[in-house]
Amino acid sequence: MYNHAMLTPESILKSTFGYDTFKPLQREIINNVTARRDTLVIMPTGGGKSLTYQVPALMFEGLTIVVSPLIALMKDQVEQLHALGVSAVFLNSSLSPAEYQANMDSVKSGQTKLLYVAPETLLTPRLFSLLSGLRVDLFAIDEAHCISEWGHDFRPEYRQLVDVRKRFPSAVCMALTATATPRVRADIVSTLGFTHKNEFLASFNRENLFIEVAAKRDPVAQTLKFLENFKDQSGIIYCFSRKQVDELAATLARYKFSVRPYHAGLEDSERRRNQEAFIRDDAQIIVATIAFGMGINKPNVRFVIHFDLPKSVESYYQEIGRAGRDGLPSHCLLLYSYGDASKLRYFIDQKEEPERSASYQHLEAMTRYAEGSVCRRKPLLSYFGETYSQENCGTCDNCGAEPNAQADITIPAQKFLSCVKRSGERFGAAHIVDILLGSKNEKIEKYKHHELSTYGIGKELTKSQWMHISRQMVERGLVEQEPAYRVLSVTAAGLEMLKSRKQVLGQVNEAQRGERSGARLKSTSSAEELEYDNLLFAQLRNKRKEIADAAGVPPYVIFSDKTLVQMATYFPQTKDGLMNMSGMGKVKYERYGTDFLTVIKEYCKENRVEEKYKAPMREKDDAGRRYAAVGEAYNAGESIESLMARYSVTADTILNHLARFIMAGNPLRSAEDLIALSTLTPDQQQKVFSAFDELGSDMLKPIHEKMNATINYDELKILRLCYLCEKR
Ligand code: ADP
Ligand code: ZN
């Protein structure tokens, strides 16, 4: 069936998968695997991991075994491969004895290129005897973080894969994961006996996600407003509690949204039904607790809303990562209130040590993120040990925010804080504001607050302006709000501010944040993707749904949204035109091409639309790939200065590119040019190198602390590069 001599990764990419170019690192990984080097792949969700073993699987003569812990994902992958015309089967406990045997037979006959198995299945004697008579060329371990006890999802059966792998000494081994923590990574490498040279770490920046945090005021109204712009689009709304899930789902249903709840309190069968409805585009919105999402491969999730505060940055990143796997622009909105943080703190208080301290730290990092005013990508990526060096990402609320929205609010802040203090730290914001405004009411009389020196000193602002000041005081941690009665008290930081009379920047008037989520999102991806014909798209989607339902598979197995968007942009009316669409492989064209061409032709005739020319894709030298160009130029002998000039960027940016280059598994020529950039004495440099030896080089913060904060991060970055250079 396959003529191996003629198969190149590019030809398989185009003819089987219908794609023109590889995503970052895919090509490098495939090269490494086909050179039969054991390879670790770390890519975020949506990075395109599957393709990195599927392409080699089609190039190798023998069988590829893919180990995956999730039954639902196996089924999904196999269905997608079938739609591409690739012969693949899975073996796990969900199959009937007859299906199981049929799949075994297909493997035995040598027809099957890819076999998906659960680890426990792989450990059975039955499978051993089946595989012992076969040529196995590739052994791919998906969700490889399950091998590590440090991961969030440790599975003991995964440890035993080490022995299984030894039974196939001539097979090359791959481990793939979206978990980037250095500890887990190191654990995988040492458990499987890989070398660091064969580690491929992709950037965890998801460029197509618009990231926004909005102050949570009236969350239901904010959600409804947000949804206005996502008519007929799929999305997930995460809530903290089951009760909240049920309430919100009911509310949205009242507003005629197509919505289903999902949480651990529902019957298994109902949960499965709801998830299935979402996957098959029968329900557009799923309101869920965090229990939802594992094992979901749906690529066209257009938004993720966090109705409540997530408990850690890591889980937040994972949850927003479920949006936009297909690479199309998608929107992530977090509704944040200080009250939510207090609520979580209350839950954490009930826990035992050491879990309690750890949870506090996670929450602390999460609130810092939510309250932050720098580009959202900076703290998110630095959490994964990655430096984001672009000035303005253009796709987060902070980068899009008006730069001069900040005003000097020192005086109102001081008035507010001293009023909280003088009234005895026993009242909520509304009462404090009443005192400041000099209001006359019963409560004021009762507590004799008209006798306070702060009574009536705030008449220059309105009530709503004062309430906004109050929220900002809480958000900055100058004032603390006790959750039960919302009583305010001044924190140590607040007292410090009062004493030092330090300037406070903020807003007097409530900005229209959160409402902005209503605005059509701006996207970094090419305009083509947004200016498609909505009517045609809807018709194509109906056609897709019809075919998918008849075949009993999710619609994305037939075509991704991206493929349909391209059809609704270029109106292709011939075979060649249609084959030029992303995701249109040969087999897919043969199976579904005519159906879709018919829809497009009819539509064009009725509406007098003509086919548009689609230029063949070319390699982009955008920021996503520039690191490779920089790394190669450096290795070819170009100096740092010359690279700075060529790309008009700072030395820091070049260093970041080189760091990515080296972390992506490429060697770098000598460190001489680099060490020349350091201003430290050789003695100091040696100390830093020893610190790297001791603490690893993934994170700079521990090194910074180890050196008692005497060496700045720019220096550390330079030295890390030199260190990595030498080590290789
Ligand atoms: P991961 O497993 O890393 O989350 P997937 O393998 O599911 O990612 O890929 C995510 C999406 O990107 C899929 O819809 C896949 O078809 C698509 N994809 C993968 N590689 C490419 C490519 N080179 N060009 C275009 N789309 C791609
Ligand atoms: Zn940004």
Side-chain angles (χ1 to χ4, degrees):
M1 182 177 177
Y2 295 95
N3 182 351
H4 297 280
M6 289 175 54
L7 291 178
T8 64
E10 277 75 17
S11 69
I12 294 176
L13 183 72
K14 181 69 191 162
S15 71
T16 302
F17 295 91
Y19 299 136
D20 292 313
T21 51
F22 283 106
K23 291 192 180 201
L25 291 186
Q26 280 181 331
R27 186 68 169 93
E28 291 87 335
I29 294 164
I30 292 167
N31 280 350
N32 210 54
V33 172
T34 51
R36 298 200 174 259
R37 286 192 280 266
D38 290 350
T39 305
L40 172 62
V41 176
I42 303 138
M43 276 187 180
T45 308
K49 282 186 285 299
S50 324
L51 214 91
T52 64
Y53 61 79
Q54 288 166 348
V55 170
L58 295 180
M59 296 175 69
F60 288 135
E61 221 176 290
L63 179 71
T64 290
I65 301 174
V66 184
V67 184
S68 162
L70 297 163
I71 290 179
L73 280 192
M74 275 185 232
K75 182 160 173 280
D76 200 83
Q77 293 268 9
V78 167
E79 279 172 352
Q80 300 203 40
L81 287 169
H82 285 173
L84 296 166
V86 174
S87 125
V89 299
F90 63 87
L91 288 174
N92 62 37
S93 55
S94 77
L95 294 170
S96 71
E99 290 169 323
Y100 199 99
Q101 191 55 50
N103 285 353
M104 294 264 290
D105 291 344
S106 154
V107 174
K108 204 179 211 155
S109 73
Q111 258 174 23
T112 300
K113 295 301 298 178
L114 290 108
L115 165 65
Y116 285 78
V117 281
E120 59 276 11
T121 312
L122 193 55
L123 297 168
T124 59
R126 196 173 172 197
L127 221 73
F128 268 145
S129 67
L130 168 72
L131 296 174
S132 57
L134 290 170
R135 168 172 173 170
V136 178
D137 273 322
L138 172 58
F139 187 68
I141 303 174
D142 206 1
E143 314 285 344
H145 55 271
C146 296
I147 221 167
S148 167
E149 290 177 40
W150 300 114
H152 52 84
D153 197 17
F154 172 57
R155 300 183 186 225
E157 320 83 82
Y158 257 70
R159 285 268 167 191
Q160 300 182 41
L161 293 177
V162 178
D163 294 326
V164 178
R165 189 256 174 282
K166 285 193 190 128
R167 300 200 184 198
F168 305 105
S170 60
V172 53
C173 184
M174 286 176 85
L176 306 102
T177 177
T179 301
T181 64
R183 203 182 212 181
V184 173
R185 238 154 62 199
D187 209 14
I188 299 173
V189 166
S190 70
T191 309
L192 291 170
F194 287 10
T195 63
H196 279 286
K197 229 176 42 232
N198 294 309
E199 223 177 296
F200 292 82
L201 173 63
S203 166
F204 271 61
N205 182 23
R206 301 277 313 276
E207 284 174 352
N208 59 319
L209 301 187
F210 188 98
I211 306 175
E212 176 179 14
V213 182
K216 179 173 175 178
R217 306 237 162 77
D218 184 346
V220 172
Q222 284 170 295
T223 303
L224 288 170
K225 184 112 211 272
F226 179 92
L227 293 177
E228 274 174 20
N229 285 290
F230 291 87
K231 287 231 155 60
D232 299 323
Q233 311 256 28
S234 294
I236 307 173
I237 306 179
Y238 284 111
C239 297
F240 179 70
S241 68
R242 298 174 189 183
K243 184 161 157 273
Q244 182 68 70
V245 166
D246 289 332
E247 279 175 18
L248 184 61
T251 308
L252 294 180
R254 262 205 313 283
Y255 280 90
K256 302 279 177 262
F257 283 98
S258 150
V259 56
R260 301 284 169 89
Y262 186 101
H263 58 67
L266 298 174
E267 289 279 337
D268 269 2
S269 59
E270 186 179 359
R271 241 188 8 237
R272 252 202 316 275
R273 249 198 333 272
N274 291 351
Q275 169 167 329
E276 197 66 14
F278 180 64
I279 287 173
R280 305 218 162 184
D281 286 349
D282 290 326
Q284 298 302 335
I285 302 172
I286 201 111
V287 184
T289 52
I290 47 164
F292 182 78
M294 274 281 276
I296 298 270
N297 223 344
K298 189 175 165 67
N300 60 335
V301 174
R302 288 280 75 83
F303 63 87
V304 168
I305 300 178
H306 280 91
F307 196 82
D308 297 305
L309 191 65
K311 60 184 190 328
S312 71
V313 176
E314 200 170 351
S315 46
Y316 169 71
Y317 181 85
Q318 225 175 47
E319 284 148 21
I320 64 172
R322 295 183 180 131
R325 277 179 173 227
D326 54 12
L328 293 177
S330 308
H331 200 129
C332 309
L333 171 67
L334 163 64
L335 296 174
Y336 170 70
S337 78
Y338 192 80
D340 275 359
S342 312
K343 207 159 66 186
L344 283 177
R345 239 170 245 133
Y346 174 80
F347 277 100
I348 294 172
D349 271 339
Q350 329 277 316
K351 295 187 179 179
E352 303 281 334
E353 289 299 350
E355 205 193 334
R356 191 164 68 165
S357 307
S359 303
Y360 268 129
Q361 280 175 18
H362 284 309
L363 179 61
E364 185 50 37
M366 191 61 224
T367 53
R368 232 179 305 128
Y369 166 81
E371 290 173 9
S373 54
V374 297
C375 173
R376 300 284 175 201
R377 291 188 150 73
K378 288 207 163 110
L380 271 188
L381 291 174
S382 88
Y383 199 80
F384 295 101
E386 198 178 317
T387 327
Y388 186 71
S389 52
Q390 231 157 291
E391 277 303 313
N392 186 311
C393 79
T395 44
C396 82
D397 54 348
N398 285 336
C399 286
E402 300 291 313
N404 54 1
Q406 302 277 0
D408 185 344
I409 55 164
T410 314
I411 304 283
Q414 286 172 348
K415 286 182 179 174
F416 189 87
L417 261 58
S418 49
C419 191
V420 171
K421 196 87 206 142
R422 302 230 166 173
S423 55
E425 307 188 299
R426 293 162 53 206
F427 302 92
H431 185 68
I432 302 295
V433 172
D434 278 343
I435 302 175
L436 287 166
L437 291 172
S439 311
K440 295 188 176 69
N441 64 35
E442 238 177 84
K443 204 167 170 184
I444 300 259
E445 298 269 314
K446 180 174 162 198
Y447 292 102
K448 297 202 182 342
H449 282 163
H450 53 280
E451 292 171 9
L452 288 177
S453 60
T454 52
Y455 182 72
I457 58 166
K459 289 182 178 157
E460 74 277 18
L461 298 183
T462 66
K463 182 153 187 151
S464 81
Q465 286 174 328
W466 275 118
M467 289 305 282
H468 187 50
I469 297 278
S470 166
R471 276 190 291 267
Q472 292 173 79
M473 296 300 99
V474 173
E475 278 170 11
R476 276 137 206 247
L478 299 173
V479 164
E480 203 162 41
Q481 188 169 42
E482 169 273 333
Y485 298 97
R486 312 181 78 75
V487 166
L488 301 180
S489 58
V490 180
T491 63
L495 287 177
E496 177 60 32
M497 192 283 281
L498 271 178
K499 251 200 299 190
S500 67
R501 314 203 156 257
K502 219 173 71 194
Q503 193 188 37
V504 185
L505 292 178
Q507 293 123 12
V508 179
N509 291 310
E510 207 163 321
Q512 298 302 301
R513 294 184 81 191
E515 268 83 272
R516 224 162 17 100
S517 46
R520 191 66 210 155
L521 55 124
K522 200 175 115 214
S523 150
T524 45
S525 52
S526 55
E528 110 185 359
E529 281 157 358
L530 296 177
E531 289 165 11
Y532 59 87
D533 189 314
N534 279 308
L535 281 174
L536 176 57
F537 181 75
Q539 290 185 13
L540 294 168
R541 201 165 56 174
N542 289 342
K543 176 52 79 187
R544 176 177 70 176
K545 176 82 177 128
E546 193 183 290
I547 297 173
D549 284 351
V553 295
Y556 59 79
V557 166
I558 309 297
F559 283 122
S560 71
D561 276 17
K562 189 162 185 176
T563 311
L564 301 193
V565 161
Q566 292 210 339
M567 291 184 206
T569 305
Y570 297 107
F571 311 96
Q573 308 195 17
T574 59
K575 177 179 176 186
D576 284 351
L578 200 62
M579 290 287 291
N580 207 5
M581 304 291 105
S582 167
M584 185 69 71
K586 280 205 179 99
V587 173
K588 283 203 172 173
Y589 176 81
E590 277 159 27
R591 290 196 189 151
Y592 316 117
T594 329
D595 280 344
F596 284 85
L597 274 181
T598 310
V599 175
I600 301 171
K601 278 188 195 154
E602 268 172 29
Y603 183 86
C604 288
K605 208 158 114 197
E606 255 168 52
N607 297 283
R608 297 170 188 282
V609 184
E610 305 249 315
E611 178 163 354
K612 279 195 232 161
Y613 172 71
K614 176 174 181 270
M617 289 271 286
R618 67 191 152 76
E619 282 287 325
K620 290 188 286 183
D621 178 32
D622 57 13
R625 290 191 182 264
R626 181 167 292 170
Y627 76 93
V630 170
E632 278 155 21
Y634 179 80
N635 277 347
E638 202 163 331
S639 70
I640 304 279
E641 290 78 24
S642 140
L643 285 164
M644 285 162 61
R646 170 127 76 99
Y647 291 103
S648 333
V649 292
T650 60
D652 190 50
T653 304
I654 296 295
L655 292 179
N656 283 333
H657 284 316
L658 292 179
R660 255 194 86 189
F661 185 71
I662 210 167
M663 284 184 197
N666 304 293
L668 216 54
R669 79 167 150 92
S670 83
E672 257 168 61
D673 269 13
L674 299 170
I675 203 91
L677 295 171
S678 167
T679 57
L680 300 180
T681 64
D683 191 38
Q684 282 173 310
Q685 289 170 356
Q686 215 42 58
K687 287 209 176 94
V688 175
F689 290 143
S690 312
F692 281 134
D693 275 338
E694 186 188 337
L695 301 167
S697 58
D698 283 316
M699 304 277 200
L700 290 180
K701 193 156 173 245
I703 309 290
H704 187 69
E705 279 162 9
K706 172 99 189 169
M707 309 306 295
N708 298 322
T710 52
I711 296 178
N712 68 34
Y713 279 94
D714 288 340
E715 279 289 351
L716 291 180
K717 270 192 213 164
I718 297 170
L719 293 178
R720 172 164 67 180
L721 264 183
C722 299
Y723 177 78
L724 290 172
C725 235
E726 303 282 282
K727 232 178 62 167
R728 269 164 193 282

